[in-house]
Amino acid sequence: MYRSFSFLSYLLCLSFFSLIHNTGAWENNTYEYIVIGSGPGGGPVAANLARAGHSVLLLEAGDDQTQNVNVSLWYNFNLAGNDPATRWDFFVKHSDDPERESRYLRMTWRNKDGSFYVGTDPPAGAEQLGIYYPRAGTLGGCAMHNGCLTMNPNDADWDDIAKMTGDSSWTAENMRKYLINLERVHYLPNGTEGHGYTGWLDMTMLDSGLETNPDSKLFLQQAALASGASVDDLPELTMRDMNGDQPNRDQLTGIFGGVSHIAPNQNRSSPGYYVRNTVNENKYPLTLQLDTLATKIIFSNDTTKPKAIGVEFLQGKSMYSADPRFNASEKGTPGRAFASKEVIISGGAFNSPQLLKLSGIGPAEELKKFNIPVVVDLPGVGHRLADNYEAGILSLASRAIAGASEIFPVFLKTSVAKIRDIYMWCGSFSFEGFWPGFPESYGPSQYECAIVHMNPRSQAGAVTLRSADPRDVPDVNLNFFKTGESQDLQAILEAVKWVRGFVSKVGGGLGPFKEKHPCPYPKGNCTDEEQKKYIKEQAYSHHASSTCAIGADGDEMAVLDSKFRVRGVKGLRVVDASSFPAVPGGFPVLPTMMLSEKATEEILNELEEAGGVVRH
């Protein structure tokens, strides 16, 4: 285990820490490692390397909101997503078709007075911004504003990376050890095989309502029957471990327990707290520099390959224009820091490719357009953008539904898939995507199953520069349904019909249900094509990945090798959701944390092989 090190290493940690100024800078502003971004990729790798005795500078463009109750109390996640203290506002496109975009019901516009308008009939003079796609610019990244649902992807997702790269360390069997490293499981007895109980990430299971809410029980009973199970199986099904090491797990469908990165006291558990605790323990050489926007990677050309040796940055509040508090007149304070070993980029699927391009790594023609000197022509940077398609079937019951927070997840395998390809969670809530001020409440009778389509067949999205200004946001076009449209829409439609079938049978005075979408009451009897059209035009997402993707050596679009190393340079890695060759499973937060554990091991292994560290 790489978190174990000698007493000598511990003394070195203390001596390293003594070199830190009150400002958080080292004597010569040089560290062994610089990590850019403190989210699920960067936060853990920075803390892990520091705990292994290596000096690390962690740069975070946002500030520390770990004590903000919108963040710390997990059930406030909708408030966190709308909180200007944590959010970064991106506006994206789903296609290149303006007419299709104009039919998106939650299109966002900027009014003349600076306020937002959401809808398809904007006031005169309003500027169309696009489809809202919030990110979190704060310590801990997007793991600080999400709903905490935590899913290890299907085994095939990991095994496919192993096959693609020829690197067997990516097999699902081996990747489980990184899950074990990071998790502190509370929902199983200590020692249950296949899980960890001493890691930094708390894992609990959400209340399905089976024993606590009679109305939830009514929905669960019908969902169990619809999935081919017995009502008598519900106590076992609602505690079924979606992250377990079951045989043939990719084929397991039906009801599962809602595993989440939540502590037993209902506080959010996340990389932000892991980093904060590592710093606060005052015994590891981790320097956390908040309110610091990385603007460029510094390269040395002293070797046959350019080597990343440092980072240029701007210090100041709200330096990035996605921050709703951004003020262009506030220029920030420029600075530099240097890395004797490596620079690790962990800015996420939008910001990591942007930083690479600003630093001269990316498609040469795009860089030349903005007069950015080309360090390496890597055409894959910013391309192959992937995301889950998300949809839902929302209905209103005939009376108020008891409870509010009880949910249960379901896996389905549709007719167009070889393994399970739908993940959903069902409960008395409304979740229809993102827009300023989301979500819309339809009152106490609302009921939804929110649907995530796993392994979408299209991966044609792109993140491209608008300018060479590092404070400017890039253009993001997800290019939904560019390929595989027929199969992907069929899969989502089958999930919708499955939900409609079991909900329509729920008794206890809750029915009949009036559907809001995708087949709104009182129309009913919508054709398959009408429903598919609605799904295609109103699908949303928030699991972007793959814009700096790992790939095979012969793949010209591969940005990284299987060890996270940026091709064509030395001393530079990308460790975040952008590293995945395809979007992993139904939620990327846990697999990205697993990447961070894997990257830590890769880095320490390379140090050991080079004679730079003694491992225990």
Side-chain angles (χ1 to χ4, degrees):
M1 294 287 288
Y2 51 74
R3 290 205 186 88
S4 299
F5 42 87
S6 68
F7 182 70
L8 175 60
S9 298
Y10 175 75
L11 292 178
L12 287 171
C13 287
L14 295 180
S15 63
F16 282 143
F17 189 82
S18 69
L19 296 175
I20 302 176
H21 290 282
N22 291 332
T23 59
W26 289 64
E27 291 287 355
N28 57 2
N29 212 27
T30 298
Y31 307 76
E32 291 178 88
Y33 297 92
I34 297 175
V35 180
I36 302 166
S38 66
V45 76
N48 289 343
L49 289 172
R51 287 172 179 264
H54 298 284
S55 61
V56 181
L57 172 64
L58 175 58
L59 302 180
E60 168 55 52
D63 60 13
D64 182 356
Q65 293 290 323
T66 55
Q67 299 304 305
N68 180 341
V69 294
N70 288 346
V71 170
S72 60
L73 298 177
W74 81 270
Y75 45 77
N76 286 337
F77 60 89
N78 284 332
L79 296 175
N82 284 287
D83 192 336
T86 62
R87 78 173 203 258
W88 276 4
D89 299 341
F90 285 88
F91 297 92
V92 307
K93 293 192 294 185
H94 283 174
S95 73
D96 288 318
D97 181 355
E99 288 299 315
R100 173 178 157 189
E101 298 295 286
S102 72
R103 293 191 291 272
Y104 189 74
L105 297 175
R106 305 291 186 174
M107 181 61 68
T108 303
W109 310 71
R110 179 86 69 187
N111 292 320
K112 287 184 176 180
D113 64 2
S115 63
F116 291 120
Y117 167 81
V118 178
T120 57
D121 187 21
E127 174 195 4
Q128 184 172 337
L129 298 176
I131 297 166
Y132 189 48
Y133 201 116
R135 303 279 81 188
T138 187
L139 177 63
C142 289
M144 303 301 279
H145 77 172
N146 66 351
C148 295
L149 292 170
T150 311
M151 173 191 167
N152 185 20
N154 287 329
D155 289 348
D157 289 8
W158 298 122
D159 291 339
D160 284 347
I161 302 176
K163 293 173 186 175
M164 174 192 303
T165 61
D167 184 343
S168 61
S169 70
W170 283 97
T171 62
E173 181 180 10
N174 189 64
M175 291 301 297
R176 178 158 290 274
K177 74 180 180 183
Y178 305 115
L179 174 64
I180 292 171
N181 281 351
L182 68 88
E183 66 181 352
R184 184 187 299 124
V185 167
H186 299 277
Y187 61 87
L188 292 168
N190 277 3
T192 302
E193 192 173 352
H195 282 293
Y197 303 89
T198 60
W200 55 267
L201 188 72
D202 291 289
M203 303 276 259
T204 55
M205 197 169 280
L206 296 174
D207 179 14
S208 69
L210 178 64
E211 304 297 336
T212 58
N213 185 339
D215 283 354
S216 294
K217 186 174 183 178
L218 292 172
F219 286 99
L220 280 162
Q221 288 173 336
Q222 294 302 324
L225 294 172
S227 62
S230 165
V231 169
D232 294 336
D233 296 331
L234 279 170
E236 178 183 351
L237 293 175
T238 54
M239 291 298 294
R240 189 160 48 150
D241 182 11
M242 71 175 64
N243 294 335
D245 194 15
Q246 304 99 331
N248 205 26
R249 65 185 292 266
D250 293 5
Q251 301 293 337
L252 299 179
T253 59
I255 296 169
F256 278 77
V259 179
S260 301
H261 56 96
I262 300 168
N265 63 0
Q266 299 300 294
N267 281 352
R268 179 184 298 272
S269 182
S270 84
Y273 296 100
Y274 182 37
V275 169
R276 186 195 68 182
N277 294 341
T278 301
V279 171
N280 289 346
E281 287 180 39
N282 288 338
K283 60 183 181 181
Y284 304 113
L286 175 61
T287 300
L288 172 62
Q289 193 166 304
L290 300 168
D291 295 320
T292 304
L293 176 68
T295 58
K296 186 179 180 181
I297 306 301
I298 304 168
F299 291 98
S300 168
N301 288 305
D302 295 340
T303 59
T304 55
K305 281 186 179 180
K307 183 180 188 300
I309 60 171
V311 179
E312 295 181 359
F313 54 76
L314 285 175
Q315 282 189 286
K317 286 280 188 183
S318 306
M319 287 291 101
Y320 195 56
S321 60
D323 191 314
R325 303 160 298 178
F326 174 77
N327 184 342
S329 65
E330 298 290 339
K331 301 300 183 182
T333 303
R336 286 184 164 197
F338 296 92
S340 62
K341 288 188 168 64
E342 290 189 12
V343 176
I344 300 167
I345 300 176
S346 301
F350 298 162
N351 292 104
S352 287
Q354 180 183 18
L355 182 57
L356 282 176
K357 290 180 180 183
L358 293 172
S359 305
I361 297 178
E365 289 305 310
E366 182 181 351
L367 302 186
K368 291 174 184 176
K369 177 182 175 183
F370 297 105
N371 297 315
I372 299 172
V374 178
V375 176
V376 180
D377 179 9
L378 270 186
V381 176
H383 292 274
R384 290 183 172 173
L385 172 60
D387 211 330
N388 297 119
Y389 297 132
E390 297 184 56
I393 172 169
L394 175 64
S395 301
L396 302 182
S398 293
R399 63 167 175 82
I401 301 172
S405 61
E406 299 85 0
I407 69 163
F408 62 92
V410 175
F411 284 103
L412 297 179
K413 177 184 174 184
T414 69
S415 66
V416 294
K418 295 180 180 179
I419 60 174
R420 58 189 184 184
D421 58 335
I422 295 290
Y423 175 86
M424 68 177 73
W425 68 101
C426 303
S428 181
F429 62 84
S430 167
F431 181 50
E432 302 168 287
F434 301 92
W435 59 90
F438 75 95
E440 180 175 349
S441 174
Y442 296 94
S445 66
Q446 64 189 7
Y447 192 85
E448 181 174 6
C449 287
I451 296 166
V452 178
H453 179 227
M454 300 186 288
N455 306 121
R457 291 164 178 82
S458 180
Q459 199 167 334
V463 176
T464 54
L465 295 178
R466 292 186 186 183
S467 73
D469 182 354
R471 304 179 73 187
D472 199 3
V473 296
D475 275 320
V476 180
N477 187 340
L478 291 157
N479 275 319
F480 274 6
F481 301 104
K482 189 83 169 181
T483 57
E485 174 181 330
S486 175
Q487 291 170 296
D488 288 346
L489 288 176
Q490 178 63 30
I492 300 169
L493 179 61
E494 288 181 21
V496 165
K497 289 183 174 181
W498 185 86
V499 174
R500 186 180 292 136
F502 92 75
V503 169
S504 68
K505 297 176 182 177
V506 173
L510 289 166
F513 290 81
K514 296 179 179 179
E515 188 171 321
K516 298 291 292 183
H517 58 70
C519 184
Y521 175 88
K523 183 183 187 317
N525 298 316
C526 296
T527 66
D528 286 359
E529 291 310 308
E530 287 172 329
Q531 293 179 78
K532 287 179 179 179
K533 182 176 186 293
Y534 180 92
I535 292 167
K536 178 180 177 180
E537 294 183 351
Q538 305 307 322
Y540 52 91
S541 63
H542 64 306
H543 299 157
S545 73
S546 310
T547 49
C548 302
I550 290 168
D553 288 345
D555 181 358
E556 69 170 11
M557 297 297 285
V559 177
L560 310 177
D561 68 11
S562 68
K563 311 297 185 186
F564 305 94
R565 297 174 295 207
V566 177
R567 294 176 181 274
V569 297
K570 293 181 178 180
L572 185 64
R573 299 185 206 242
V574 179
V575 181
D576 60 24
S578 73
S579 310
F580 286 105
V583 61
F587 291 90
V589 63
L590 179 61
T592 303
M593 296 179 202
M594 292 167 68
L595 284 194
S596 194
E597 298 291 315
K598 187 179 194 327
T600 303
E601 184 175 70
E602 297 288 0
I603 292 166
L604 296 182
N605 279 342
E606 289 176 24
L607 281 176
E608 183 178 13
E609 290 167 4
V613 68
V614 177
R615 299 182 64 195
H616 300 271

